Amino acid sequence: MRGFLHSRVKRGLVLGLLGILGSQAAKASPQSDLIDKGRYLAAAADCAACHTHDRSAPYAGGNPFVLPIGTLYAPNITPDKMHGIGNYTEADFTNALRKGIGRDGKPLYPAMPFPSYARINDSDIHALWTYFHYGVAPSTKATPHNTIAWPLSIRWPMTLWRLSFAPTPKAALANAERFSSPDIARGAYLVEGMGHCGACHTPRALTLQEEALSSDQGASFLSGGAAVDGWTPINLRADNRTGLGRWSEDDIVTFLATGRNLHGSAFGGMSDAIAHGTQHLTDSDLHAIARYLKTSLPAHKNESPWQYDPAIADALHHGKLPSPGAKVYVDRCAACHRTDGHGYAPAFPPLAGNPTLMDKDPGSLILIVLRGASVPATAKAPSSLTMPGFDPILSDREIADVVTFIRQSWGNNAAAVSVDQVRSFRSQNARWIKDTASSPLN
């Protein structure tokens, strides 16, 4: 009997010790579902687009942002204690995301979209912090030093900028409660906050703040932004010609999931945003985004509806070349985009009625002709499609002619492009063209 009791006591002590150790292990290793949630939110926030320069070292930073004041480099946000954010507490992490304040109290440049991230709620912040501390491999890569000359390198003015133009987290979270429909509220949360779409697709004032941060702050919100590395982010409002007025909810969902639909294909920075981000979102979240865009962003411009004009297609069908640009188009473009401009969507996008081609800024179209473009491979559309660049093949005159032809055919009726515009654009973007071709992310 004594041996039996002794055995039970020993067993109880062992089980108790194992229970304590198991409890400590559970505290040290967060639940996998919380890490998975953080991973999903990091995709929704497109963190990789800025913080991953080398695919072999996710989130190790190093991406350059070439600005008029100099070049900024995205920091290492892996849990490495020397070069990353391994020493950040959750409070430090929260302050950086929501307020633009670094761990040492140094103000962050607004290249970090903290005015949008101010809308991220507490539970999602916690999931992101958990993921970046326990779900990301630490990297010892050091971030290159920014090359901003004094006095523009002084950080304290960023505090004044933040106080003037960035919402407080309390105000931003309160603003997010303005929707009565849960799915549209979710879409707004992803677009205005987590996805920070306005950082690219909303015009900025002279002091570089976005003119509006949400759909209730004016019609300029998501009405199209200034060029980023030469690419001009399009209007996401309901404008018929230059916006998403002719896109259905399903069209938007398909585009965000695959980078292509019957109206067009992704290019420039949007290709990365889809590859790293939106393709990983659930159908429910994609539909919430699309529903928000379709119901909350009325047209910004007084545009006459686009209507297809068959005159150019008829002329080309009968062997007539009404302009020098038409000849370049037939020789170089028509095999994929067809003489009627309809293309072979979603593989080769239509040019007729394409919002990018009717934008007042022809920069994206000029760049696509010069550099070419790639539609990313995604889980739902595993084939990557590439258009070659014609930089070494076509002259400035030929590019101006063909871009003008495309912008003025099939009812597009956009402004002509001059040789001087192409020449200036080619010169200004030579470095961007080189960087795009050599970047490890492309």
Side-chain angles (χ1 to χ4, degrees), residues 138 277 292 324 396:
Y292 163 78
D396 293 337

Side-chain angles (χ1 to χ4, degrees), residues 59 183 195 216 219 247 268 315 324 329 333 335 347 370 409 412 432 436 439:
Y59 300 115
D183 58 337
D216 63 330
W247 290 34
Y329 181 83
C333 314
L370 284 170
S409 298
N412 289 347
W432 283 331
T436 300
S439 171

